[in-house]
Amino acid sequence: MTQDKLKSSKPESHPPPLMRAIREAMAGTESVQERLDGFATAIQSAMSVRVASIYLLRPGAELELSATEGLKKSAVHKTRMKPGEGLVGHVALTARPLNLADAPGHPLFSYRPETGEDPFNSFLGVPILRGGRTLGVLVVQSKQSRTFTEAEVEDLLTVAMVLAEIIIDDERVGGKKGKLKGITLAPVRPETMEGKAFAPGLNRGTAHLHLPPVSPANLLAEDVSEEQARLEEGIAVLRASVDAMVSGEAASLSRASKEIYETYRMFAYDRKWVGRLREAVSSGLTSEAAVERVRNEHRARLMKARDPYLRARLHDLEDLANRLIRALSGEKVGPGNRTIADDAIIFARELGPAELLDYDRKQLKGIVLEEGSATSHAAIICRALGIPLVGRCEGILDLIETGDDVLLDGETGTVHVRPVESIIDGFKLRMTVKGELTKAYDALKDQPAITRDGRKISLQLNAGLLVDLPQLDQAGADGIGLFRTEFQFMVSDFMPKLKEQTALYQGAIQAAGERPVTFRTLDLGGDKILPYIDPVPEENPAIGWRAIRIALDRPGLMRYQLRALVAAGADAHLRVMFPMVTTVDEMIEARALFDREVERAVNLGLTLPKKIEVGVMLETPSLAWQVSAVCDHADFVSVGANDLMQFFFAADRDNARVSDRYDPLHPAALSVLKFIAHQCDRNNTPVSVCGEIAGRPLEAITLAALGYRTLSMPVTGIGPVKAALLKLDAADLSATLEPHINVESRLSSLREIVQDYCTRNAIPV
Ligand code: PEP
Ligand code: MG
């Protein structure tokens, strides 16, 4: 039904006949199989079709005929097909309805004699979706050759939604009743799930579902016209709240948030989205269920989209859907307005920066996502705020209820749900030890990191956003060794303007006071994608068109940024470095661009920085072999060990299957690191390491032994690294490692040797 039709037709109070039949089928039935059978019978009779069948995806990814009215009953639990196989498989694969007048004439039609389906011509199949997952396919068939009406498609989609909730509920309830998918998951049982640790920290807390599930009991509306009125009211509240965010409250937030809200406003007024919601409610769903259904359809389609822009839009729509559900429940929507427990651990499929801002930071003890990535906005913000985040916990939303006890381990990526006493005890012990260690590190805050043999090591912070800056003093860092400027671009929905860039850089310089801040120019490409720039699809993005390569080919963006940096550095000490430089020529070219911006500032009579240093990031093996030559053009060298190691070992750092395959303490890697330090020393060029390894005590003391005097790391590394360095005799460790760092060594790692050394010398690592 179109929106216009919907408006012109008089509101119908009674749910459509199919929904009434479904209600009746749900009442009083206990077992899931009975419910499925009841559904098939109800659909067949209410839609006046010959066949109604339910196919469910079983473990092993096969669709199985699980209930039917009209096909041979003997085929139930026997007829199976793969997604993509036959018409039913096609619906599952595409996650879209398929409406055919002549099914046997379709090239994908696959004949199954055991079902006795040959005499049926028309076919309508709709996917059974939940959370973007396809759980199965619902099919109706009739003898007569006709296409089904839009209203019939709509009705069947509604039934599919109800079915999805029943299936998931069955999974959740589990136990003896949970036979449907062969999965027995009980919410009362303890569960341990392994995800990916995207922001460190250990916390115990109370689960809070970012979006509470719509229970099967609340899917179907009692009175359609009342429900239509409820939906309109909810939409009005939502629109008013989004308008208020854009015009008022958001003014106090960052510009990034404001822009995100503006995108929300666009969606909140999107006629198509609202039209789909209205249609779903008219077909008999409650408003909440309608939101869920429209969301599922979007998810299923857009999750297949590889285009990050489209995926980001999906995320905006999800956020809006969440807000609408909250508005329907009468909850206030807006920043800081979410009611959660004082020790809440938020569970969501994905979480955007604006959604994160909706929660009171003091109450947030952690975040668990089904999706997410190390470079997602939520992860970046969580790391900056010290909130543990575990991502890629697939299926966890089906296991968790609001109020569940949760142990969140942001160090290993483990989530314990409803843990047993023994797990709680062990976890508490770790939390206590960590708490004590944190206190001990705090006590070292103002102490310089000087090794026992007198080497002063400068411990600096890796940062990128305003929220990172207070950490400088809290951790007692000696400066910012790596300011990842692309973060500001990534958390914004629009390209940050010159003024905004300048303001952020100025903020960092001011927060650091006399301490140095090293700005790295935009390191885009690879996995760092901007929502507002069309990505260039690449086979191997990590070694593709990224960072300095983009900057030199399209210098406009970098010159703009360099302009902001020169302006921010007025009257201050400005340090700038370029990422992913592979040849000396690239460094010369990049430096020339910087010089042009300084020249421009001179010509305009602007205030110049008091001191300027332009450095190079050493992240590619080729540059390691030209380090001496590049020192002629760089005031300092910063080793980007994350990238250097991925290229050195040919192991994608974002691919969990290979990223940990090689140890950075491999003697070959240490030879390169030692060579770089030595060459820089010979050239009197200061050198530092700013990859993740600099923040791990064992690796950090090894780097100190190799001759590095500056290490830049995530905030969580500063205390532990300092504690280890204070106990280190760098020359002694250097002598211990020396015999193993050469081309003769056949070891795969010197970790054990360093670990033994630490044990013998009581170095806390
Ligand atoms: C690195 O590659 O080591 C580095 C510090 O840069 P990023 O992690 O941002 O690529
Ligand atoms: Mg890098």
Side-chain angles (χ1 to χ4, degrees), residues 229-498:
R230 249 189 96 228
L231 176 71
E232 295 308 323
E233 221 172 278
I235 291 171
V237 170
L238 171 80
R239 285 179 172 170
S241 78
V242 176
D243 289 347
M245 282 172 188
V246 178
S247 58
E249 291 145 54
S252 61
L253 295 167
S254 68
R255 187 177 162 84
S257 322
K258 194 167 171 167
E259 282 158 357
I260 289 165
Y261 291 144
E262 289 202 7
T263 319
Y264 291 163
R265 176 152 68 176
M266 211 175 75
F267 281 117
Y269 286 89
D270 183 83
R271 285 179 49 192
K272 245 192 182 152
W273 183 62
V274 173
R276 291 291 296 145
L277 293 173
R278 287 178 176 148
E279 278 170 10
V281 164
S282 300
S283 76
L285 287 181
T286 59
S287 304
E288 286 84 353
V291 176
E292 191 64 36
R293 198 186 98 189
V294 174
R295 180 221 307 270
N296 282 338
E297 290 166 6
H298 277 288
R299 264 188 205 165
R301 269 167 230 159
L302 291 184
M303 271 167 72
K304 292 199 176 74
R306 292 193 64 187
D307 181 345
Y309 178 80
L310 275 184
R311 289 181 72 105
R313 299 287 70 78
L314 165 71
H315 189 253
D316 292 338
L317 260 178
E318 292 246 338
D319 193 359
L320 205 66
N322 294 354
R323 281 165 199 277
L324 180 50
I325 287 194
R326 282 159 52 202
L328 286 164
S329 74
E331 199 186 319
K332 275 183 93 184
V333 280
N337 264 327
R338 299 224 52 180
T339 327
I340 48 171
D342 279 344
D343 61 347
I345 295 183
I346 306 297
F347 285 75
R349 212 173 60 77
E350 182 61 287
L351 206 64
E355 292 171 294
L356 203 64
L357 284 173
D358 281 353
Y359 290 103
D360 182 344
R361 279 177 218 172
K362 288 193 282 309
Q363 296 174 306
L364 258 192
K365 293 288 172 272
I367 290 176
V368 180
L369 301 178
E370 285 206 335
E371 298 185 357
S373 72
T375 46
S376 71
H377 304 163
I380 292 167
I381 291 172
C382 280
R383 279 200 293 268
L385 298 177
I387 299 168
L389 185 152
V390 171
R392 308 249 176 98
C393 264
E394 213 183 306
I396 200 157
L397 292 181
D398 296 331
L399 292 178
I400 193 95
E401 304 281 351
T402 289
D404 277 341
D405 187 14
V406 176
L407 304 176
L408 181 60
D409 188 336
E411 315 285 321
T412 61
T414 312
V415 186
H416 300 282
V417 180
R418 300 174 293 271
V420 291
E421 278 309 312
S422 57
I423 300 270
I424 296 174
D425 290 347
F427 196 84
K428 273 189 183 160
L429 197 67
R430 282 182 61 210
M431 279 177 75
T432 314
V433 172
K434 204 170 155 58
E436 275 163 16
L437 277 174
T438 309
K439 271 194 223 145
Y441 299 144
D442 278 353
L444 299 177
K445 207 173 74 175
D446 300 319
Q447 201 175 323
I450 301 176
T451 62
R452 279 178 44 220
D453 54 335
R455 289 192 202 176
K456 160 97 175 71
I457 313 288
S458 171
L459 301 186
Q460 304 194 10
L461 196 67
N462 291 348
L465 293 168
L466 273 180
V467 282
D468 292 325
L469 302 178
Q471 315 261 24
L472 257 174
D473 292 328
Q474 280 158 21
D478 298 317
I480 297 177
L482 167 66
F483 193 94
R484 291 179 162 109
T485 58
E486 63 278 3
F487 282 2
Q488 183 191 22
F489 285 66
M490 286 162 65
V491 298
S492 171
D493 260 18
F494 298 93
M495 183 86 72
K497 305 246 163 31
L498 188 71

Side-chain angles (χ1 to χ4, degrees), residues 14-26 38-49 52 124 126 138 140 148 150-163 220-221 224 282-285 293:
H14 298 298
L18 178 57
M19 290 313 123
R20 281 206 298 277
I22 291 297
R23 257 177 189 289
E24 281 157 24
M26 278 171 72
F39 266 59
T41 316
I43 297 166
Q44 191 238 25
S45 117
M47 287 184 77
S48 308
V49 287
L124 169 62
V126 300
L138 179 56
V140 290
F148 289 87
E150 261 183 64
E152 283 171 317
V153 177
E154 201 60 39
D155 282 352
L156 208 61
L157 280 166
T158 301
V159 177
M161 156 119 198
V162 181
L163 258 176
L220 300 177
V224 174
S282 300
S283 76
L285 287 181
R293 198 186 98 189

Side-chain angles (χ1 to χ4, degrees), residues 462 482 484 486 520 523 528 546 617 619 639-644 653 690-692:
N462 291 348
L482 167 66
R484 291 179 162 109
E486 63 278 3
R520 186 223 357 237
D523 185 7
K528 293 168 184 159
R546 52 173 288 205
M617 277 192 86
E619 308 189 270
V639 179
N642 300 338
D643 276 317
L644 183 61
R653 62 193 262 195
C690 66
E692 298 300 300

Side-chain angles (χ1 to χ4, degrees), residues 13 64 126 136 141 203 253 261 310 329 387 398 405 442 475 495 563 600 617-618 633 669 672 721 741 763:
S13 287
E64 182 182 284
V126 300
Q141 291 169 282
N203 263 336
L253 295 167
Y261 291 144
L310 275 184
S329 74
I387 299 168
D398 296 331
D405 187 14
D442 278 353
M495 183 86 72
R563 194 166 298 173
R600 177 182 173 276
M617 277 192 86
L618 203 158
H633 305 277
V672 177
V721 166
I741 305 180
I763 299 172

